Structures are given as structure tokens and as C-alpha cells.
Amino acid sequence: MALERVDAAAAMGALAARWRAAGARVGFVPTMGALHAGHRSLIQAARAECDRVVVSVFVNPRQFGPDEDLDRYPRTLDADLRLAGEAGADAAFVPKVEAVYPPGFATTVSVSGLTEGLCGASRPGHFDGVATVVARLFGIVGPCRAYFGQKDYQQVAVVRRMVADLALPVAVVSCPIVREPDGLAMSSRNRYLDADTRRRAAAVPRALEAGAARVAAGEHDPERVLGVMRALLEAAGGRVDYVAAVNAETLRAVARVGMGDVLLVAVRFGGTRLIDNRVLS
Ligand code: PAF
């Protein structure tokens, strides 16, 4: 079936309401566009589990800091609509900023605790922007299931917390990270990398692999595990924002790292900030 493009919030809400009234389970994949194979896997997961699938394409200004890449964030709408349709989406919600934040919009959703460390520490306000837009999009679309990539591990934890705390009737589904052949996690921001930086950025999955291998070999001191990871990233020319070993639920640093914990990385290569993670299993 052809993909239906919807720009207005009221029209999106009405379409999803008609589907729900007909008994359909509505799946939702929120995105900022520049879709890639990672997004395709989210849409396919939604397609497999739901009767109707909505993808939103909205570069959310509220989750970018003043010195971040809002203006140059890749915008590839035609290709996005093609990929969304081919992957099985029924509708693409492509709102303008005023449709998401109409005049008078005065609400910020702020999840405390989980947002204080990791990306929250170096991107103040970022997760308020994410939680607010996700809550607003959930309100418009009314999905029963929403799909997010595990690459944004902290984001998924924050959205889950928000959904639980606000008793929103939506199941949050975290889908596995999709990687390039050399292991680099798929990300819309990979487009910023030139050939040399792209090659060096493969140190990110290698660092996670090395950290995981240390733990598997019996090293449980987080400082030592993270030291190995940091050294690999710096040797490749990366500027480390953080390397962390955290509890999978609380996202608090662990004193002893072991199975079930998560290793996370945020690192800059050139002007591009990349994040990745690995759950130890
Ligand atoms: O992960 C993203 O692309 C964004 O943070 C999201 C969830 C679409 C909210 O703008």
C-alpha cells in the first residue's frame, strides 16, 4: 500500500483514530529523518507487530543545544519517504515546527535522575527536548507500541521512565543496534564523517568490543575496563566525552562491572559526536 504523507497534527490524529476505531494496533517510529538501515529495522519491527505503522520525520529544535548541529542536521525527506514506504510504513507524519509546538505551547516534560549523567551532562536540556517531543507525538498519534533504537540507550531509558510515570498507554520497544560492516553503529550523523574520520570512527565499536572482552576475561574493575576503551578511542584521534560502565536500569556507574551492565561511549571525531553502547551478556 502507498505511503500516505500527513503534515497537519489534526489530520494525523484523525487518521490514527480511524485506524484504532477499526480495531487496528498502531505502531509508531519517531525519527528526525535522514533515515538509514537502523530506522528501516525499526519500521520493519513495527510492521511485523502492528496493523498500521506511522513514521514521523521531525527535526526537533528543542533537543539541540545552542552550539549544536540543528541547522546542518541532514534533511533528506524524499529519500526518507521512499525508505519508510518500502519498509512498510502506512503513513509519514511530517509536521512543521508550528504543528508540533503551536503558539501558546507551554509544557516541558522533564525526567529527572536518568538524564543527569552521560549525554545529559554534556547536552543540558537535550532530554527535556526529547521527552517533550515524544510525549507530544504520542499524544497526536496515539500508538499502542513505539519503536526506538538501542543505540540511544539513555534516550530509551528516559522514554520508558516517562511512559511509566505518566501512565501513557504505549509499549516502548527497544530494537537492536544496526551496524556497518566494520561495526560502526548506523547513525544519521555518520554522514558528517569524511573518509579518514569515518575510518578512524571504527574505533568506537572496537573499544566496546575490547571492553566487553576484558569483562568476559574476568576483569571487573570499571576503571581498568574503561581505561582500555579510552586508550583505543584516543589512539584513533577521538576526543572522549565519556566512557562509562553503568547499571542497565538506573544508568548509575557501577563499582564492579559484570554481566547485564552496559558499556557506553560518547566521542568526537572531528566535529562529529558519536555515541554507542554494548550490553554485557
Ligand atoms: O532518536 C531520535 O531520532 C529523536 O531523539 C526522536 C526520538 C525522534 C525525538 O526527536
Side-chain angles (χ1 to χ4, degrees):
M1 215 170 50
L3 180 83
E4 186 168 347
R5 173 179 167 165
V6 185
D7 291 32
M12 184 65 251
L15 179 61
R18 276 203 303 281
W19 287 340
R20 282 194 304 275
R25 289 163 304 174
V26 177
F28 180 42
V29 182
T31 83
M32 297 207 299
L35 301 190
H36 49 66
H39 295 112
R40 183 184 297 119
S41 75
L42 303 181
I43 299 168
Q44 287 170 336
R47 179 76 278 159
E49 295 175 353
C50 305
D51 305 304
R52 297 289 189 167
V53 176
V54 178
V55 176
S56 63
V57 177
F58 177 63
V59 182
N60 173 33
R62 291 190 179 216
Q63 69 188 77
F64 289 80
D67 299 326
E68 294 186 348
D69 55 344
L70 173 62
D71 290 339
R72 70 178 186 122
Y73 197 83
R75 284 153 171 96
T76 58
L77 185 58
D78 290 345
D80 292 346
L81 296 178
R82 248 192 328 275
L83 185 150
E86 284 164 10
D90 297 291
F93 180 39
V94 190
K96 296 233 176 338
V97 173
E98 314 79 69
V100 176
Y101 304 116
F105 189 94
T107 297
T108 297
V109 180
S110 190
V111 175
S112 61
L114 287 173
T115 56
E116 278 151 27
L118 305 171
C119 291
S122 49
R123 303 187 69 191
H126 169 69
F127 287 113
D128 284 2
V130 170
T132 303
V133 81
V134 171
R136 170 90 174 124
L137 292 169
F138 283 179
I140 293 169
V141 176
C144 65
R145 296 172 78 76
Y147 296 79
F148 295 83
Q150 190 208 300
K151 183 178 78 68
D152 299 303
Y153 193 93
Q154 190 175 13
Q155 169 170 279
V156 178
V158 168
V159 171
R160 280 194 201 286
R161 184 76 260 163
M162 174 188 78
V163 162
D165 289 354
L166 301 181
L168 302 179
V170 53
V172 175
V173 183
S174 174
C175 296
I177 299 174
V178 177
R179 297 182 179 281
E180 303 274 6
D182 65 358
L184 187 68
M186 295 275 181
S187 164
S188 303
R189 291 189 168 97
N190 291 353
R191 293 168 198 243
Y192 296 153
L193 303 171
D194 63 27
D196 172 56
T197 322
R198 169 67 188 77
R199 191 179 44 73
R200 290 188 289 116
V204 177
R206 279 207 308 275
L208 289 164
E209 180 69 45
R214 282 294 166 114
V215 178
E219 179 61 79
H220 297 292
D221 178 349
E223 286 317 311
R224 293 201 183 167
V225 172
L226 299 176
V228 168
M229 294 167 58
R230 182 180 286 275
L232 274 167
L233 294 166
E234 289 177 348
R239 278 183 296 126
V240 175
D241 179 354
Y242 62 75
V243 285
V246 305
N247 175 278
E249 306 293 325
T250 64
L251 305 192
R252 292 215 189 91
V254 289
R256 180 184 189 280
V257 56
M259 292 305 133
D261 295 330
V262 190
L263 302 177
L264 299 106
V265 167
V267 58
R268 280 177 200 281
F269 282 92
T272 305
R273 185 174 181 279
L274 301 174
I275 58 171
D276 199 353
N277 64 80
R278 180 163 172 145
V279 179
L280 298 172
S281 60

